[in-house]
């Protein structure tokens, strides 16, 4: 298997973004596209590695950019500021997410634009939930240790299936937010699942966050994602 | 693959019980044992079919009996009465569960008594949680639409990993019981996971309960169980 990759530039409201795509170059078949929305640090090596892991599973993996070139954070404080700007304007975030989705579908990649999913980590978990919430045309979304506060406007017609992978002791998402998300997704009529992992906090997939990383929850959540992607794409997306 | 089966009689406190075991007769290898604890209806064709499905996956499946011969219910009312007796004496239930576990380990079956798990459905979900709670020597337990109220005595040293598969709209387990179970298992130091399925009620695995059956949740929960059993037995139980 030869994993190829390239970067892709795209625009939204005068800002230029840069995504990173990876795919198995040993096959010509059109295959499902899986977008990767990054943590509050933006599109880093972590997200690029996830895109390559998705490529190894037979998908086109596309790590998207939500901050824009020239605006990428280089430390935690800058990242918190960038994420704060997005949190303060969920409409703008939605616009950037939809622009990223369009880019992934229209770029010259061996992906099948009729079969698209999105996964996200930490802030990226919130992003993929927002993609589902706004009724984006994606077959499914997977949130890994996401953040669950809804945007301050109503949901669209939620078409995506949702898989929410949650550390039960995540201080960013105490039990009342889990209950609120469950209620929200039920009322939206969405096909949702939420997997809680005991003794697990935030950032459980990220070896770079040593104090929070859980190899066990990382492995279990990745397996759950694989099952979910198999299910949604076996059904024709 | 040739699935063999036989019944096994065993005793506890003067009561005789009858289990149903199934295994792949095409192999001589000692393999993990998976006990099946039944719904409030007891050991029925549903549980026997689960034992055979487990046999097809390479396990020895053993559908246990918790009511005793001569005491098997033949309708819902009798089943509610039988389950009520067990609910009223969780110590006796524990004794019967441990006797069933011993039987499965000691019976002449191609099972490896050092690698044992338990799955349970509805009332059987409560039973396998109780097995874990009392510190029984099982590698893991899986509750399918179980019932979460703890017994009125303290937990033992919980050694089993737990996978709880839950219909979010199950009226037997409203959100506060999910929170209570999560708290209980966290305080017990147990390795636990809880998968919630949206728009899913009780008995979601049971085609015989047409009004509650969910093919989607049935498929997803069985897949989650397979991943869990693979994980706990790959690690040597």
């Amino acid at each position: 298997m030869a994993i190829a990759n390239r970067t892709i530039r795209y625009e939204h409201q005068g800002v230029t973004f840069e995504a990173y795509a990876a795919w198995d170059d040993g096959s010509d078949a059109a295959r499902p596209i899986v977008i990767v929305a990054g943590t509050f640090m933006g599109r880093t090596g972590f997200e690029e590695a996830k895109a390559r892991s998705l490529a190894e599973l037979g998908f086109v993996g596309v790590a998207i950019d939500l901050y824009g070139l020239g605006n990428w954070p280089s430390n935690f404080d800058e990242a918190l500021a960038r994420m704060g700007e997005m949190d303060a304007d969920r409409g703008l975030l939605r616009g950037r997410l939809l622009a990223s989705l369009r880019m992934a579908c229209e770029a010259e990649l061996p992906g099948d634009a009729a079969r698209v999913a999105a996964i996200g980590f930490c802030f990226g978990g919130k992003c993929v939930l927002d993609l589902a919430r706004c009724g984006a045309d994606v077959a499914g979304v997977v949130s890994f240790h996401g953040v669950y506060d809804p945007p301050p406007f109503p949901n669209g017609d939620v078409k995506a299936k949702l898989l929410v992978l949650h550390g039960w002791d995540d201080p960013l998402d105490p039990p009342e937010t889990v209950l609120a998300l469950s209620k929200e997704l039920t009322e939206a009529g969405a096909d949702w699942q939420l997997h809680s992992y005991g003794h697990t906090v935030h950032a459980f997939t990220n070896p770079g966050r040593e104090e929070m990383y859980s190899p066990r929850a990382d492995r279990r959540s990745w397996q759950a994602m694989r099952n979910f992607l198999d299910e949604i794409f076996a059904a024709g997306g």
Side-chain angles (χ1 to χ4, degrees), chain A residues 39 46-47 145 203-210 212-214 218:
Chain A
T39 76
F46 175 79
E47 287 73 19
H145 44 82
F204 57 77
T205 64
N206 195 339
R209 303 298 297 278
E210 215 176 320
M212 299 190 272
Y213 179 57
S214 164
D218 186 20

Side-chain angles (χ1 to χ4, degrees), chain A residues 121-204:
Chain A
F121 300 82
C122 164
F123 171 65
K126 174 186 293 193
C127 292
V128 300
L129 290 175
D130 273 14
L131 255 187
R133 283 164 167 144
C134 74
D137 204 10
V138 290
V141 305
V142 183
S143 163
F144 294 82
H145 44 82
V147 188
Y148 306 146
D149 59 299
F153 39 77
N155 287 332
D157 174 22
V158 179
K159 292 187 279 288
K161 296 174 190 292
L162 297 103
L163 174 63
V164 181
L165 303 165
H166 172 67
W168 187 253
D169 297 322
D170 188 337
L172 297 183
D173 294 304
E176 57 268 24
T177 68
V178 174
L179 298 189
L181 180 67
S182 303
K183 187 163 180 287
E184 178 202 337
L185 297 177
T186 296
E187 287 173 359
D191 174 1
W192 66 270
Q193 304 173 66
L194 191 147
H195 297 190
S196 294
Y197 304 116
H199 307 284
T200 304
V201 294
H202 194 65
F204 57 77

